[in-house]
Amino acid sequence: MKMIKQTWHVSGHVNLFMGIIGLMVVDLLLGYNQLKFHAALFDPINDMGFYRWALTYGRHYPSNTAWLFILVGLLGILSVNTFVCTTERIFVLIKSRHAFSNTSRFLLRFGPHIMHYSMLIMFLGYLVSYLSAGTHMGKVLLPGKSIALTRPCCTITLEDLAIDYYGGGRMIHMDGRAMDVRATLKIEDETRIKTAVLSFNSPVRFSPLSIHLKKFAPKKKGGMERRKYITVIIKNDPGMKFYFSGMILFTLGLFMYLWDKLSRHTRQEDRA
Amino acid sequence: MKTKLMVFMIGCILMILGCGKDKVDDDPSFMSIGSFAVNKIDSGWTEVRDGAGRALVLIPRGETPPEGYEPWQVVEIPVRRVAAYGSFDISILKALGVIEDVLVGVTTKKEDWTIPEVVRGMEEKRITYLGNYNAIDYERLKASEPELVLTWDMSIIPMLNEMGVPCVITATPVAMCLNARMKFISFIAPFFKKEEKARAYFAKVAASLSRIREVTKNATENPKVIWGDIYEKRVLVEPGNAWVGELVSLAQSDYLFDDVIGKSCIEISLERFLYSGEDAEIFFTYRTPENGATSKAALARANSLIAGLKPLKDGRVYSPYNSYSQSGDKLDEILTDIAAILHPKCYPDHVSRYFRELPDRDPGA
Amino acid sequence: MWGYVLTTATTLNLIQNSFFIASCLYVAGLGAVLVKRPGVGGGLVGAGCLCNGFSLALRYWSSFPLLPLYQGAFFIPFVVGLFCTRSLFKGDGSVIHALLVVFLAGSALLFPNDFYLPFLQFKSLFAHGFFLLGVGGKALFLLSGAWAVTILVKQDQKDTVKKMGNYVIWGYFFWTLSVFSGGVWAYLGWGSPIVWEDPLLTTTMATWLYYTLFLHLHLTRLNSVRSRALLTLLGAVFVFFFNLVPELGIFMMPGIKL
């Protein structure tokens, strides 16, 4: 029991936190050069996921990828440390709740702890995403044509592809170039049919899939006539809900922290 | 003290791992070649990743396809019939020694070819002209019965899937660096079981690169170079991460678009191009003599915006011959050719075979 | 074609010239502060901000709804300049602030990186959020560095220490929102919260972690004013070298373009 308590205490110690963060900063700076000069080694993580990437690129190019493995390890230790440290402090805060003059001030003190826990939720999201997300790469859709997916089983048809080209004089270098791409997709499986418009940064969701526009042609008006088509990234990412929830909660915690800090500052000034 | 020592040691390990030199020789079981990859997954099976990030599995002819792959992902090797779009891809087939045996379809007309095997194949009707790359004739493609299509055009994938023909995208979203350009053959080789030939080719090109380093290391001049062109409103250049940019820097020269990063033939602003153009001594244009690059005056006439570039006024301008883009099998010669252009004093008797120095004016003008 | 080139050239010249004038005004403002005329200095830096703001508005106008790519270096001196003007008029600004504005404007002016053409993927509210919040974050981190120098030089004052801390906190706030905005944008555009292509993602995260560490310092004994000021200054240097410098281009001689 004593050993468990000691391990718990050590794993949540603030000095450990400082050390890990310091190492992570150094590690990330080393990673900068690797990503800058060897981006092709890391780009496949987006579609392969971390596990398959680690077995191929990661394992065979250790001098370039070691920083990322170290980063993941440090993130793991940081998660444990954050969980232990925050949980301890939450208990202390709850115990001292009577010291607060009103409930809102007491609740606002939870801001940093919400930030810490939501960071863990984000990490969990990334973990789920990079270990279990499925990606279909290089899927091409021509107007009127369909593609069939086997996992999960569904058919995607590009019903219409509308591309608007810029014709004004305001935007520099954009004359005659595509400004808006709207692809009308019909997605169907055994039980559902959905028609939706896909464009850049506006994916189409067909649970559990999300379809993102990657490329299209023709990009310019006139010139060499290219066939109309789009390529899409089809993703099944169960981690997405976690990391977005984490982001929202973190932002909430950050606002609470700032509100608490500003109201304390105002009170101090009033007293002065 | 212990903690400090540990932190120091971890720091040292990180530094060593992070700053260590790249491996010279790749592990043959997995190879990353720019955006491409080759992964030996099982006895006789190879998984490759093409330029669009699509995974294909290469299996020995007659074997049952492995589970988990869709039909379009399975390629039986050695491939016996290939249709190809890019001239560089086709010249790599030549380097592998399979061009006459496997090539059945191309998207360039006979008169534009400089590879004798292709010209001969087209004359003997073994190789079919499939039509312009923007509008290939699917009936002709079908009739040529390819087992594999090498292309940069992703829009033909749905049609090829319908035909049951696997295809490999050989274009990449970022420019190929010098190492990837030299090793691209190792990506194509497994389709034909010609890995040995690929290794020999790489060794040959690597040796020529070493020679270039050796010959140019004492060069006294450090010429400033730009590579690109202006087409109406579009300015296209070779970025610093492209193989030509790397080669220029390696051969004791100053590539002025070194800071530009992106895909090959990247589009940048006119102002940036002109800024470097006013400082450059050597200008490599994309235009061939057939596209109007017959002289400096002709280039200036074709696009008055580049008339003020220093190489057009008092420097050197080079235009590629058709053979340049069709000689991937002679990459060692191309690299040497470029080095000789940059440092003529280091290569006193060299005669360029892939680039032509443009005269000030067209003969007779 | 010439019409197109001329229109483009006119807008570009306006953008570049107004930024050049802004930089000159910043230098003049620094000069005024150096000769102990902080009010005049504030006015000149303020005028510089106006010109800088005009240049930025034009940049945005000529690329909106797309994002002006890699042009953060032109935006940061504007934000820093606004704070500097306020401080100089209030009488608590110092030569360090004016020097920071000049230094940042000079970096952008001499090493511009505005030659890439925008992509359609950059047409998103989240892309703009990522960019503008990031600019705000960087500017505030750099300003906190300027206050740190003031503390280190003058062995100063409770008030300045508080200001330095507030700039860090607000910088952290903007930086965090920028990172999240980038995450949402990456998901919408590429289907992944992290796009493993851009090396700046490592320095962005490193900066966030550095300031996370800083904000936790009160939990340790390393809490003296001097050590906090030193770490704030180190943070500002870190932000400059790892977040600003990678976005700068090659040296280009500035000047008025006609």
Side-chain angles (χ1 to χ4, degrees), chain B residues 135-290:
Chain B
I136 66 163
D137 184 333
Y138 288 100
E139 289 310 314
R140 276 192 226 169
L141 180 67
K142 218 177 222 174
S144 63
E145 297 177 340
E147 291 177 356
L148 181 73
V149 175
L150 303 177
T151 180
W152 42 260
D153 182 13
M154 289 188 72
S155 71
I156 65 158
I157 292 176
M159 259 79 91
L160 292 175
N161 284 352
E162 272 178 22
M163 289 163 62
V165 179
C167 89
V168 174
I169 302 296
T170 55
T172 55
V174 281
M176 267 197 221
C177 64
L178 191 53
N179 190 42
R181 187 77 170 178
M182 288 160 66
K183 278 190 185 154
F184 177 73
I185 193 166
S186 303
F187 168 71
I188 298 290
F191 288 90
F192 307 97
K193 291 192 168 179
K194 293 287 179 188
E195 284 90 339
E196 271 309 314
K197 286 251 183 189
R199 273 192 279 275
Y201 169 94
F202 179 77
K204 186 176 74 166
V205 182
S208 82
L209 211 55
S210 300
R211 271 197 303 278
I212 291 170
R213 259 200 209 101
E214 188 59 32
V215 171
T216 58
K217 76 176 177 196
N218 295 325
T220 48
E221 284 156 1
N222 191 26
K224 293 175 180 170
V225 182
I226 56 169
W227 198 310
D229 219 315
I230 304 179
Y231 296 91
E232 291 199 20
K233 297 169 195 169
R234 301 177 66 204
V235 179
L236 301 170
V237 301
E238 283 304 302
N241 58 313
W243 68 274
V244 288
E246 266 190 74
L247 177 69
V248 169
S249 303
L250 183 139
Q252 301 298 317
S253 305
D254 190 3
Y255 189 56
L256 299 182
F257 297 131
D258 210 19
D259 59 314
V260 180
I261 304 291
K263 61 174 189 171
S264 189
C265 256
I266 189 175
E267 197 166 352
I268 60 166
S269 70
L270 177 67
E271 300 69 37
R272 175 72 185 80
F273 183 81
L274 295 180
Y275 184 84
S276 289
E278 283 161 16
D279 198 25
E281 291 152 9
I282 299 174
F283 170 33
F284 285 92
T285 169
Y286 287 136
R287 288 173 200 261
T288 57
E290 289 76 25

Side-chain angles (χ1 to χ4, degrees), chain A residues 19 30 49 51 54 57 63 75 84 93 105-106 128 133 140 159 166 236 243 249-250 256 260 266:
Chain A
L30 292 173
Y51 181 67
Y57 293 85
S63 60
L75 272 175
V84 174
L93 185 64
R105 279 174 65 188
F106 170 64
V128 172
V140 180
E159 296 214 310
Y166 186 68
N236 177 1
Y243 53 72
L249 281 174
F250 194 103
M256 285 169 72
D260 182 35
T266 317

Side-chain angles (χ1 to χ4, degrees), chain A residues 34 38 62-64, chain B residues 15-24 213:
Chain A
Q34 297 303 334
H38 307 281
S63 60
N64 305 110
Chain B
M15 292 296 281
I16 293 162
L17 290 174
C19 307
K21 255 180 90 176
D22 290 349
K23 280 194 297 182
V24 175
R213 259 200 209 101

Side-chain angles (χ1 to χ4, degrees), chain A residues 27 30 34 38 40-41 47 56-57 60-61 63-64 70 140 145 175 177 220 224-227 229, chain B residues 14 17-18 22-23 26-27 29-30 32 34 37 39 49 133-134 138 153-155 162 233-234 267:
Chain A
D27 187 46
L30 292 173
Q34 297 303 334
H38 307 281
L41 290 179
D47 56 275
T56 49
Y57 293 85
H60 289 87
Y61 294 90
S63 60
N64 305 110
I70 293 168
V140 180
K145 296 262 179 188
D175 192 32
R177 286 168 204 276
K220 281 178 272 306
M224 286 184 291
E225 277 301 313
R226 293 287 307 274
R227 195 181 290 118
Y229 78 94
Chain B
L14 279 174
L17 290 174
D22 290 349
K23 280 194 297 182
D26 288 290
D27 182 346
S29 68
F30 180 83
S32 167
N39 187 13
R49 181 186 170 91
Y133 60 83
N134 276 329
Y138 288 100
D153 182 13
M154 289 188 72
S155 71
E162 272 178 22
K233 297 169 195 169
R234 301 177 66 204
E267 197 166 352

